[in-house]
Amino acid sequence: MEIRHLRTFLAVAEELHFGRAAARLHMAQPPVSQQIQQLEKELGVQLFERNTRSVSLTKAGQALQGPAQKVLNDLDLAIRAAMFGSSGIAGRASLGFANASSRRVLPLITRAVKGSEPGIDLALQGQTYGGAVVNQILSGSLDMGLARLPVRDPLIDWHIIDFETLVAALPEDHPLAAKPELEVADLAGEPFATFPGTQGSTVRDATALIALQAGFSPRIVQEAPDSYTILSLVAAGVGITVTVSSVQHIQMPGLCYRAFSTPVPKMAAVLAWHKKNRDPALQAVVAIARELLHTRARAGTPHPVTRRCPERAGSAPIGLTEAPVPLGFLSFPSTYLRIG
């Protein structure tokens, strides 16, 4: 068995299409088919069910996929160890993150790791809800992840990397868009688009909490898996949503954001990892993140609220505004949204 056979197998297994796999490998399609046939002959099993319309993995193919990926990962680590082992750390660390709200912090971490420790393969796992990060770290499926406080498990260590505040997102022609700021109670009775309730979304939990404090329960009419889709639904007039200020880079026609005049707590974004995980690659990434994001975390300055709506009578000019937050929210532990 050759490494190239495993690479080809994984490409076909992920694409489930010989043509797309060939393009991904920069090969013609016949050699791809030949390599799969050679691998099947050597193993004595059929790895794919093929017909003129579709390609699917057999049970043997499904069983091979994980170990084959591990072989290639280990090979990559061996190469990195040979190239960088004498001058730095060689290894692999996985990091889970929520796509939209990590836009500002994640590139800083990845570039700093690449610049300081090029021997570390930082494997990024997107679409990881903050509330699910802890369980994935505890299970070993993630080495570290971006989450939000509170993190209650004593086996999880964390470092604050950013601060966010809750804001409302609504269609720009919504009556509430005429107001420069909103009270949470203004959203009572409105249809909400939000994250699924079963995926561990801290934003959804925070929305339910501040709504409860304002005397109502959100009327959820649509769920979506990510901030981009949720905000697209809002722009389309499906409903409104409560989100975090760090996603305001998502700008699209028909969408605007409003700060709350009602005091709402800041949310502290953290890098979380297992206290007992002493892997050198993980520890190096944590040390880099601590140093890189130390000043930002200590400042505790939340993202400003971007007001992107046509100016209306009685509304403030379009620009950047800070949501007023009482000083009581600036002291630990009341700074951080407590859920449950």
Side-chain angles (χ1 to χ4, degrees):
M1 185 184 301
E2 299 182 29
I3 292 297
R4 63 191 179 99
H5 290 155
L6 292 183
R7 293 192 191 280
T8 301
F9 163 74
L10 286 173
V12 178
E14 291 170 7
E15 297 291 344
L16 293 179
H17 190 281
F18 279 79
R20 289 196 298 268
R24 173 171 155 182
L25 295 167
H26 305 290
M27 297 171 59
Q29 186 170 330
V32 171
S33 299
Q34 290 169 9
Q35 288 188 25
I36 295 299
Q37 291 169 2
Q38 291 168 3
L39 184 59
E40 289 178 324
K41 183 177 180 180
E42 182 171 353
L43 295 175
V45 296
Q46 184 176 348
L47 299 173
F48 295 97
E49 295 283 356
R50 319 163 177 71
N51 58 45
T52 56
R53 294 187 177 182
S54 66
V55 176
S56 61
L57 283 164
T58 63
K59 289 185 178 180
Q62 293 172 8
L64 177 62
Q65 191 171 10
Q69 186 64 65
K70 186 177 186 303
V71 168
L72 294 185
N73 289 343
D74 289 344
L75 175 64
D76 183 60
L77 289 181
I79 293 171
R80 286 175 176 271
M83 293 175 63
F84 303 108
S86 61
S87 58
I89 296 171
R92 186 176 189 272
S94 57
L95 191 158
F97 66 98
N99 294 11
S101 60
S102 304
R103 175 179 177 265
R104 191 162 71 157
V105 168
L106 192 64
L108 298 176
I109 297 175
T110 55
R111 288 171 185 164
V113 171
K114 184 177 181 180
S116 300
E117 295 289 351
I120 294 178
D121 175 19
L122 189 58
L124 303 179
Q125 182 173 315
Q127 208 65 28
T128 306
Y129 293 99
V133 163
V134 169
N135 288 336
Q136 292 187 34
I137 292 173
L138 291 172
S139 71
S141 59
L142 270 183
D143 293 316
M144 70 191 91
L146 302 184
R148 295 187 178 94
L149 292 185
V151 175
R152 296 191 176 92
D153 196 292
L155 292 176
I156 300 296
D157 208 348
W158 47 265
H159 173 71
I160 297 174
I161 59 174
D162 208 357
F163 287 86
E164 302 166 302
T165 191
L166 298 171
V167 299
L170 56 156
E172 65 180 13
D173 59 354
H174 193 286
L176 290 175
K179 303 179 67 172
E181 293 180 329
L182 302 178
E183 295 183 9
V184 175
D186 291 335
L187 307 183
E190 294 289 337
F192 276 74
T194 189
F195 295 97
T198 58
Q199 300 299 318
S201 167
T202 55
V203 174
R204 175 166 173 150
D205 291 342
T207 300
L209 181 61
I210 64 171
L212 180 64
Q213 292 172 341
F216 71 96
S217 179
R219 182 167 65 88
I220 297 171
V221 299
Q222 184 75 47
E223 293 181 340
D226 58 80
S227 292
Y228 296 101
T229 305
I230 291 171
L231 293 171
S232 296
L233 293 170
V234 171
V238 171
I240 58 100
T241 196
V242 172
T243 188
V244 285
S245 49
S246 59
V247 307
Q248 292 174 112
H249 63 279
I250 302 175
Q251 301 284 351
M252 58 187 69
L255 174 70
C256 65
Y257 300 93
R258 286 291 182 268
F260 288 114
S261 57
T262 307
V264 292
K266 298 175 190 174
M267 299 180 72
V270 300
L271 178 66
W273 64 95
H274 202 294
K275 285 182 178 180
K276 295 185 178 180
N277 188 341
R278 308 311 300 173
D279 181 79
L282 168 66
Q283 293 300 316
V285 175
V286 168
I288 290 169
R290 281 181 181 275
E291 179 65 25
L292 178 70
L293 301 169
H294 181 64
T295 303
R296 179 192 299 275
R298 288 192 63 185
T301 303
H303 300 247
V305 179
T306 304
R307 299 185 61 255
R308 184 187 180 278
C309 276
E311 190 173 346
R312 304 185 182 198
S315 67
I318 296 174
L320 297 180
T321 63
E322 280 288 339
V325 180
L327 293 179
F329 285 102
L330 300 180
S331 59
F332 188 87
S334 57
T335 303
Y336 313 114
L337 193 61
R338 295 188 173 274
I339 300 169

